[in-house]
Amino acid sequence: MTMISQISNRAYIDGTWHKLENSFEVRNPFDQSLVANVADCGAQEAKIALEAAVEAFKYWKNKTGFERAAVMHRWAQLILDHQEELGRTMTLEMGKPIVEGRGEAVYTSTAITWYAEAATRIAGEFVPSRFPNKRAFSRPEAVGVVYGITPWNFPAAMLARKVGPALAAGCTFILKPAEQTPLTALYLAELWEQAGGLKGVFQVLPCQDPVQVSKVLMDDPRVRKITFTGSTEVGRLLYGQSAKTLKRISLELGGHAPFIVFDDADVELAAATVAGSKYRNAGQQCVATNRVYVSEKLKTEFENALAKATSSIKMGNPLELDTNLGPLVDAATLAKVKDHVADAVSKGARVVSGGHATGGLFFEATVLSDVKPGMKILEEETFGPVAPIVTFHSEEEAIQAANNTEYGLAAYIWTKDLGRAWRVAEALEYGIVGVNDAVPSAMAPQAPFGGMKNSGVGREGGMWGLDAFLEVKYISMVLP
Ligand code: SIN
């Protein structure tokens, strides 16, 4: 692919493609073939990028929202025009089915467009005064230089959720993409440049080991904000490191989503909804259903319906159009999935469908039944295509079990009872609740996205996501 060979071995720093001597390999999870050698940035590149971001901030923050929006609209259009290549790049580096990759490119473009529009709506307020000779205003201002760390599971969309509002607000952005998926980020940088993006405003520093790059940026007081999507463990580390320079922080961390299927559910539809939430991206989503709580009355009917839904999932080469389950991203992810299934089975769970690793990094779409507390799969995020079914007898019991976790990102329910839908949605300690909805967050850059408890700090999406990149200045004036 022309574009991949152009961006190989290069980092995008200060509006220039820096060819570096050090590089690391990105391999295709489908067959382990080499996708590209990628520039491996270290402390030196981080220092250059930081100086460039500090300089660029001086003029980017002073552009009008309309000027920033114009560049962002061009970028969003180019992303849309390149959806095939972007989708393919994601598929090659992390194994998601090409149809999902293309969809993600559209999702990415939508998010950039939404924030381009938002850039033109950033406005302060007239603040009333008790004194007749005083006038006062609030004025939103960009936070400053931002350091962003993005994940491999949605390498384009999660980047857009962060870069979109940051650039709209007038911040400059240094990105460290996940080591599994640097090419998607570099591709987006190439399109940013084609859109007329100014140098130093958006920079991409791929690296295999983030420690050197992160140390430079986390220690420097001129980096005013860190935004991160990844594990709760790393999120805690970054939270601690931010304290020294009191950086603003947004964290999107782990999840352990429950899906509660009530006894009034349309079983076929509920099973299809659980499958939609569980097996998308091979279960490698922070918002993926990780525990399925089914009313005892529906147990057998639901198990059969979910098993039937998995039988139509085609596992295979993610570049093929009819594939809906690709390989897992790497050996560690596969090992965890295998471990969760083996642990559950050893403690009495029953495999209803799937249950096997089938070679390479593939694991079948799996349904487990008779799952009980004490099994790892009910306590840890699996990040794989396994749906463990647990039964319940009452609404209270289901809510209590769903909330019994340190996580609080997404939760789902299936019911036709509107009263119950509201009651349970309000009782769930989660940042996102899908009612009969498998994917409440996808293609919704306008909606709040984020978690309670150990699933994160702050919200992305909508004006909540924009506020995270703005400071509020209060200006009070005594009339002469
Ligand atoms: C995620 O789960 O990591 C993001 C999913 C989405 O935006 O839909």
Side-chain angles (χ1 to χ4, degrees):
M1 229 166 107
T2 340
M3 192 61 94
I4 287 190
S5 62
Q6 278 162 8
I7 57 188
S8 290
N9 277 322
R10 286 169 172 79
Y12 185 61
I13 305 174
D14 200 12
T16 315
W17 290 91
H18 286 243
K19 196 164 170 47
L20 300 189
E21 272 183 22
N22 292 342
S23 66
F24 62 98
E25 292 181 343
V26 170
R27 290 199 170 263
N28 184 340
F30 172 63
D31 57 7
Q32 296 306 313
S33 58
L34 181 68
V35 182
N37 285 302
V38 178
D40 195 3
C41 293
Q44 198 189 338
E45 286 74 34
K47 285 179 191 158
I48 301 170
L50 177 55
E51 295 309 322
V54 169
E55 273 312 298
F57 181 61
K58 292 178 190 159
Y59 56 81
W60 184 246
K61 71 173 176 182
N62 287 325
K63 295 266 172 217
T64 66
F66 294 88
E67 289 169 316
R68 292 197 293 269
V71 187
M72 292 177 68
H73 276 300
R74 289 198 294 274
W75 193 26
Q77 186 58 51
L78 282 165
I79 293 170
L80 212 51
D81 296 345
H82 287 249
Q83 62 181 275
E84 183 60 36
E85 297 88 335
L86 274 166
R88 200 180 146 81
T89 305
M90 288 181 241
T91 299
L92 289 176
E93 49 181 6
M94 58 73 62
K96 74 172 56 190
I98 182 83
V99 175
E100 291 187 26
R102 285 179 191 159
E104 186 173 337
V106 178
Y107 177 9
T108 303
S109 173
T110 311
I112 300 296
T113 300
W114 199 90
Y115 280 108
E117 289 166 0
T120 67
R121 291 176 195 138
I122 299 171
E125 280 178 43
F126 184 78
V127 179
S129 172
R130 292 179 192 282
F131 307 99
N133 63 337
K134 276 195 176 191
R135 299 291 180 272
F137 309 87
S138 70
R139 177 182 139 87
E141 293 184 0
V143 163
V145 175
V146 176
Y147 176 34
I149 305 178
T150 46
W152 52 262
N153 59 342
F154 290 88
M158 296 307 103
L159 184 156
R161 276 185 191 284
K162 294 170 170 24
V163 179
L167 299 188
C171 297
T172 53
F173 200 100
I174 304 172
L175 173 73
K176 202 292 291 170
E179 59 275 20
Q180 294 91 338
T181 53
L183 294 163
T184 303
L186 291 165
Y187 202 133
L188 289 167
E190 164 70 31
L191 298 180
W192 165 257
E193 192 176 44
Q194 284 180 27
L198 300 173
K199 67 183 193 134
V201 172
F202 173 47
Q203 306 179 81
V204 180
L205 273 63
C207 51
Q208 193 166 23
D209 177 357
V211 172
Q212 297 302 320
V213 166
S214 280
K215 182 160 172 39
V216 170
L217 301 175
M218 293 305 290
D219 284 354
D220 199 296
R222 293 173 298 170
V223 175
R224 295 307 314 138
K225 165 135 189 144
I226 163 92
T227 173
F228 168 73
T229 294
S231 70
T232 297
E233 190 192 349
V234 176
R236 277 204 188 94
L237 203 74
L238 291 167
Y239 208 165
Q241 290 172 0
S242 309
K244 209 166 33 179
T245 52
L246 285 181
K247 294 188 199 318
R248 276 54 183 154
I249 183 144
S250 296
L251 300 174
E252 299 302 338
L253 308 177
H256 201 244
F259 198 127
I260 310 174
V261 180
F262 287 102
D263 57 9
D264 65 330
D266 176 322
V267 173
E268 295 285 323
L269 268 179
T273 314
V274 170
S277 159
K278 177 69 260 186
Y279 304 110
R280 170 181 173 231
N281 204 13
Q284 300 169 119
Q285 322 151 53
C286 314
V287 295
T289 291
N290 216 87
R291 298 168 283 152
V292 188
Y293 294 98
V294 178
S295 165
E296 179 67 34
K297 290 186 196 152
L298 301 181
K299 185 176 190 279
T300 311
E301 207 187 334
F302 183 84
E303 279 173 16
N304 293 337
L306 189 56
K308 192 168 151 220
T310 60
S311 66
S312 60
I313 293 177
K314 183 174 172 277
M315 186 163 71
N317 184 346
L319 281 177
E320 283 167 16
L321 284 180
D322 58 348
T323 294
N324 10 66
L325 184 65
L328 294 165
V329 72
D330 55 25
T333 307
L334 176 65
K336 189 171 189 195
V337 174
K338 280 161 86 174
D339 178 47
H340 278 193
V341 172
D343 172 77
V345 170
S346 75
K347 292 173 183 162
R350 184 166 50 85
V351 177
V352 181
S353 66
H356 303 104
T358 58
L361 293 172
F362 283 93
F363 199 93
E364 291 173 312
T366 296
V367 180
L368 297 179
S369 188
D370 302 329
V371 176
K372 301 264 168 355
M375 297 180 183
K376 281 186 197 172
I377 201 158
L378 290 190
E379 279 149 26
E380 298 169 20
E381 192 176 24
T382 310
F383 242 57
V386 184
I389 298 176
V390 187
T391 53
F392 65 88
H393 297 91
S394 69
E395 186 178 303
E396 295 67 34
E397 185 192 345
I399 294 170
Q400 202 273 333
N403 284 340
N404 186 20
T405 168
E406 63 172 310
Y407 297 110
L409 181 57
Y412 306 85
I413 55 183
W414 222 107
T415 180
K416 289 187 215 139
D417 178 338
L418 284 183
R420 170 175 271 162
W422 276 112
R423 205 166 50 240
V424 178
E426 287 171 7
L428 288 169
E429 296 162 357
Y430 288 83
I432 302 165
V433 178
V435 180
N436 309 340
D437 185 356
V439 274
S441 50
M443 297 292 289
Q446 69 281 10
F449 182 93
M452 298 182 180
K453 302 199 284 192
N454 288 346
S455 285
V457 175
R459 291 291 178 273
E460 295 183 339
M463 295 311 262
W464 304 272
L466 184 63
D467 281 347
F469 294 92
L470 291 168
E471 293 279 14
V472 179
K473 184 177 280 173
Y474 169 56
I475 303 176
S476 176
M477 184 194 291
V478 175
L479 298 182

